[in-house]
Structures are given as C-alpha cells and as structure tokens.
Amino acid sequence: MAQASGSPDDSGRLATLPWTPGDASETAAEALQALDTYKKKDPFKVIVRFKAVGNAPIMRQNFYKITASNRFQAVIQFLRKELSWKSGDPLFTYINLAFSPAPDDTVSNLYKSFATEGHLIVNYSTTAAWG
Amino acid sequence: MSAYGTTRHHGQQSASTTPASTTLFRRLTWEGTVPLEIRVDSKELPANSDRGLECYYIQAPRVSYLPLLMPEIRRFLMDVVFDEAAGKMLKEEEWWFESEEGTLLKWHWPIGLIYDNHTISASIRPSSQTSTSHHNLQVTPLKLILHLASPPTEKLLLSPSTESCKQAFMGQLKEADFIRWGNTKRMTGLRKPDQDGIWEGIKEHNFDDYWRVASKIVPTTAPARSSSPPPASSNPSMHTRPPSADPQSAPDRDGAYTVRSVPVRLYLPDGPVMQDVVSPTLEDGSAHTLAHYLSTHLPLLFPPAPYSGPELAYALIHGVLVPPDAEMAWLGACMAGADGWVSVCVGIAR
C-alpha cells in the first residue's frame, strides 16, 4: 500500500498561505499520493543469464532470478561473489555483448529495454571487451 | 574566473546534413549552464584556511561532469583558501560532493541532470525555502558541500577520476546507440581518434568537436515520412523544420523517426528512474509526443486527455518546460544530453 503522502503538516501549511487557491493543498496531496504509487518497487523477478567472455571462468549455474528493483551494482556484486572474486580483481560486465550499463541503473529498466527471450543477458570478462 | 559556460566556439555545423534548426536546438542544449555554489565542509577545512573565502561559485555546463570541474575548484582552493602546507596533504581522489540536504552527488551524472534532479526533489519538500512553483522556476545556485576525506565509495559507485567518468560516458553513449538501433555498430565503428575526440569535446566544452563525432551516431530530424510533420514548438516564430531545409532522402535509415526506440529516462523526485522502450511513432502512425509519453507512464500525474483538472506535475528537460506536443523523436535528436539520453525530470506542481 502507498504510504500517506507528504509530511503531516503539509496541507495545513499550504492552506494558510493567503495567495494559495482553496484547492491547492488538495491538488498537491493528490499529486504526492500519485507519486507514491510510482515509487513502489517493482516486485517481480527477472531471470538474469550470465555468459562468460574470453578467459573468464564459466559458472556452473548461469540462470538466476533477481528482484527487478535491484540496481545493476547488486548484479555485479552477486557475480563477484559467485566467482569468488577478490576486491580489486578486474571484472567487466556488459549487456548483450554491447555496453556496460551504469551501476545505478535498475535491473527492471535494463530488462524492459534489453531483454532477450525473457532473459537479461549479462556478459562478464576479465578484460575490457567492448571498451 | 570560470571559463565555463562561455560561448567560445562558434563554428558552423555541417549544414548539408543537419537542418539548421536542429543545430540551433543542439547548440542551445549544449550551451545551457547551471550555477553551483561549492563550499568546503567547514568541519573539514584544514588548519589555517581562510574561512572568509571558502565558497566558490561556478557557472557549469549542463553537459559536463563534476570530475571535470575538479581542477578548477582545486586551483581556487589551493590559491585562496588552503594554507599551502595543509593543502599539500589533501588527496583529491578522496574528495566528494553532497547536496545541502545530504544527497550524494554521483560523479557520472551530467551536471545539468544533477541540478534538475535537485529542483524536482525540492518540489516535494514543503519546508523547502526555495520557491518550486514551476511557473516561477528560480535559477538559484545549487549548493554543494565538498568533503575532503572518507568518500562513501560504495554509494558513489565510481571513482572520481576523469578516466572512469569517460568510461561511464562512453557506456551511456553505447547504451543509447543500442536503444536506437538494436546494436552498437555506430559506436563501435568509430575510430579511436573519434572516440577520444567526442570526450575531448565534453572536456573542453567544444560544440564542434563534440558534434563532429556525435553527428555520426545521433539521428537527424530529417523526416522519414512527409505525412507526419512534427510540430516545432508552440512559438510560431521557430519552425524547427522548414520543408525546404530538410533533405528529402526518404526513407532515411538514420532519421530520428526511424529509430527502434528513443533513449529516454524519466526521473521522479528522490527517484526512481524509469526507462523502457519509447518508439518514435505510435501504432496509428502518428508521432509519439511528450504528452502521450507522460500520460502513459505516469497517468496519475499526467492524466490523459480529456482532463480539465488542475495541473499536478510538470516535466523538465535541461531545465526547460517542454511543450506537451513536442515529439519524442525530435527530443531525441535535438534535446538529448551529450550522453545521448533525453532526461525528463518530473516535479510536483504547487
């Protein structure tokens, strides 16, 4: 459920402003409530398929379900853990053998834009592959 | 004084391939600047600093990045604020920025996007001092606090180096390329000097250097079909596409209206960021407008027509309130950021 929007004193403050039209606080409250519905995190899960490139070690299991609201950074960290990579060991990640997404982009956004046959394909490499 | 934000380069874009109006809007986008007030966290000022002068003001290009401002900021602090010996002890790679409200500023976000994000986030804070009425979008400096140590590396995600900023920038360009065409052939087809040149264009804030390369990857507004003339803007004096100026090379394989999808991201106050496939035309063949995009993605904030209630929200692109009938394909060609993305920032109307 969406949480109550704005801060408790929000509407009161707006209503006391002499130049605010009568329904402005209501409008703002409606807008903030609407905003809350869009802030709800995507609950669905996405299948991520990891594919090694070049000399990178192959994973025994390479399909994973991950909550869509996770950032791509979480995927990178998960991958590093699965590969037992030490911090500092180089690891480059790509979508569709094409580009490195920003670490703060969400899995949900990447899935919606780049999914292949229902999977988000993440390639990983120990060297920079597609600069 | 800052050399940023000045219009130093006025060469002409190759007018033979790009309509003059497209070049005009690209230049307006490129020349956009935002005011920043940078203040060193007073608790972190080294001993013997000149506390009266710890504030630095800069008019920064919207398409630039914070790591690119660091040399100028550092120079100011070293020359004016820090005691010489204390200044030498500081490690620039440990510096990081935070907004007054405590939001970490990401190294890899364009400065204009950081600014607009701050504007829309302020729109949902009733206690905010600044007026956030979009009818009166005040251009006030974005106040940044510069910390000199202990960067929260986990949250900043990337190091403050120019090199990692470049890598992130190139990654965004490639992602935009993939969004448009389903592959990155245009980007990977660039030679090394071009790949370096496009970043040099950002670093030096040189419109011509940037567009010399960018015009090979960003589509033009030449129409794909004459049946859908994109309206220019609500201002009748600015026709974006005088028919005589457009090369009639239909079907134009590289045209803005023939891409698979326009690279667009939608930013809401304090997040989230939304991105999906945004086709340039709708199923009935008409152009996909900003109004349609907003009312399909955020119907509660931008109710579809007919709607006569009060305005609930507004949308900014490069700090500009864009007319609702602006077409997504046109925005992708003329008002994308230098990273190739159209960043639509949504604030709450008050």
Side-chain angles (χ1 to χ4, degrees):
Chain A
M1 288 302 294
Q3 295 178 338
S5 58
S7 63
D9 60 344
D10 179 10
S11 54
R13 187 193 70 93
L14 280 168
T16 58
L17 294 177
W19 58 85
T20 308
D23 62 349
S25 63
E26 234 170 81
T27 306
E30 185 187 341
L32 289 170
Q33 207 170 354
L35 193 59
D36 274 345
T37 65
Y38 298 123
K39 283 181 182 287
K40 273 188 273 183
K41 293 188 169 172
D42 288 319
F44 68 93
K45 293 199 172 193
V46 161
I47 299 174
V48 173
R49 192 168 157 189
F50 292 107
K51 285 188 175 180
V53 175
N55 297 333
I58 292 165
M59 297 164 82
R60 224 177 312 153
Q61 188 195 338
N62 63 359
F63 284 77
Y64 290 93
K65 272 190 178 174
I66 183 163
T67 308
S69 58
N70 272 300
R71 291 173 170 210
F72 191 68
Q73 178 74 3
V75 176
I76 299 173
Q77 281 164 349
F78 174 82
L79 185 60
R80 295 190 77 96
K81 205 176 96 217
E82 286 297 306
L83 295 172
S84 308
W85 241 228
K86 293 190 199 75
S87 73
D89 289 348
L91 185 69
F92 299 85
T93 44
Y94 302 89
I95 300 291
N96 293 344
L97 297 174
F99 63 90
S100 293
D104 53 341
D105 209 347
T106 62
V107 172
S108 169
N109 282 344
L110 294 169
Y111 182 81
K112 285 176 191 163
S113 301
F114 307 111
T116 312
E117 290 165 10
H119 301 154
L120 181 64
I121 297 174
V122 176
N123 313 101
Y124 58 98
S125 170
T126 56
T127 53
W130 296 274
Chain B
M1 282 295 100
S2 164
Y4 288 97
T6 55
T7 51
R8 282 172 289 165
H9 309 285
H10 279 289
Q12 274 304 309
Q13 175 79 5
S14 56
S16 57
T17 53
T18 310
S21 57
T22 300
T23 305
L24 171 66
F25 277 96
R26 284 175 175 176
R27 182 177 287 283
L28 288 171
T29 300
W30 182 265
E31 300 295 356
T33 60
V34 292
L36 304 178
E37 177 191 304
I38 293 157
R39 183 188 296 270
V40 180
D41 183 353
S42 58
K43 296 186 289 297
E44 295 175 23
L45 272 177
N48 304 322
S49 296
D50 189 332
R51 285 180 177 264
L53 294 166
E54 85 274 27
C55 237
Y56 186 59
Y57 291 89
I58 188 168
Q59 193 73 26
R62 282 180 162 271
V63 294
S64 190
Y65 294 86
L66 288 172
L68 301 181
L69 301 184
M70 291 307 270
E72 181 179 341
I73 296 166
R74 182 187 171 86
R75 210 177 312 127
F76 167 80
L77 292 172
M78 291 304 208
D79 289 353
V80 178
V81 182
F82 296 157
D83 170 76
E84 200 178 329
K88 278 184 183 147
M89 303 285 287
L90 295 168
K91 298 191 191 100
E92 199 178 309
E93 61 272 17
E94 294 191 348
W95 295 10
W96 54 287
F97 288 105
E98 191 175 40
S99 75
E100 269 196 323
E101 295 79 20
T103 310
L104 296 185
L105 300 187
K106 298 198 181 110
W107 296 115
H108 61 292
W109 277 28
I111 290 169
L113 179 60
I114 291 174
Y115 189 93
D116 289 348
N117 244 281
H118 184 265
T119 302
I120 59 168
S121 293
S123 79
I124 60 166
R125 296 200 180 90
S127 57
S128 169
Q129 299 257 311
T130 51
S131 163
T132 53
S133 162
H134 71 279
H135 298 296
N136 182 26
L137 275 175
Q138 289 179 346
V139 181
T140 50
L142 173 58
K143 294 179 179 174
L144 304 185
I145 296 162
L146 175 61
H147 296 279
L148 303 176
S150 315
T153 317
E154 283 289 296
K155 289 181 181 159
L156 287 167
L157 300 169
L158 293 168
S159 79
S161 74
T162 311
E163 186 52 34
S164 66
C165 191
K166 177 187 175 185
Q167 291 308 326
F169 170 77
M170 298 307 279
Q172 289 302 300
L173 276 179
K174 276 186 190 149
E175 184 173 344
D177 205 28
F178 197 97
I179 286 264
R180 285 190 207 98
W181 311 108
N183 60 61
T184 52
K185 278 185 208 148
R186 285 166 179 75
M187 275 298 292
T188 49
L190 292 179
R191 293 171 177 197
K192 181 87 168 77
D194 277 351
Q195 293 214 6
D196 292 341
I198 198 167
W199 176 245
E200 282 300 309
I202 300 288
K203 268 171 76 180
E204 303 298 322
H205 195 55
N206 185 320
F207 179 84
D208 294 320
D209 283 355
Y210 171 82
W211 276 105
R212 188 174 302 125
V213 184
S215 58
K216 297 177 185 177
I217 43 179
V218 181
T220 70
T221 52
R225 295 180 326 281
S226 51
S227 59
S228 110
S233 73
S234 50
N235 184 343
S237 70
M238 287 195 281
H239 301 290
T240 39
R241 302 205 331 228
S244 59
D246 282 340
Q248 299 293 325
S249 56
D252 181 2
R253 286 194 312 112
D254 290 345
Y257 290 79
T258 56
V259 297
R260 281 181 3 147
S261 172
V262 183
V264 186
R265 289 201 181 106
L266 191 53
Y267 294 79
L268 295 180
D270 292 338
V273 182
M274 298 154 90
Q275 169 193 333
D276 62 2
V277 175
V278 181
S279 51
T281 49
L282 301 174
E283 276 179 16
D284 64 2
S286 64
H288 192 168
T289 61
L290 180 64
H292 185 271
Y293 172 75
L294 291 171
S295 66
T296 47
H297 286 78
L298 305 170
L300 296 173
L301 290 173
F302 297 91
Y307 170 77
S308 55
E311 194 174 36
L312 299 170
Y314 62 91
L316 295 177
I317 302 175
H318 296 295
V320 176
L321 288 165
V322 176
D325 59 355
E327 297 178 357
M328 300 311 288
W330 184 88
L331 291 171
C334 299
M335 284 188 76
D339 59 1
W341 289 83
V342 179
S343 300
V344 182
C345 294
V346 168
I348 296 302
R350 294 226 170 215

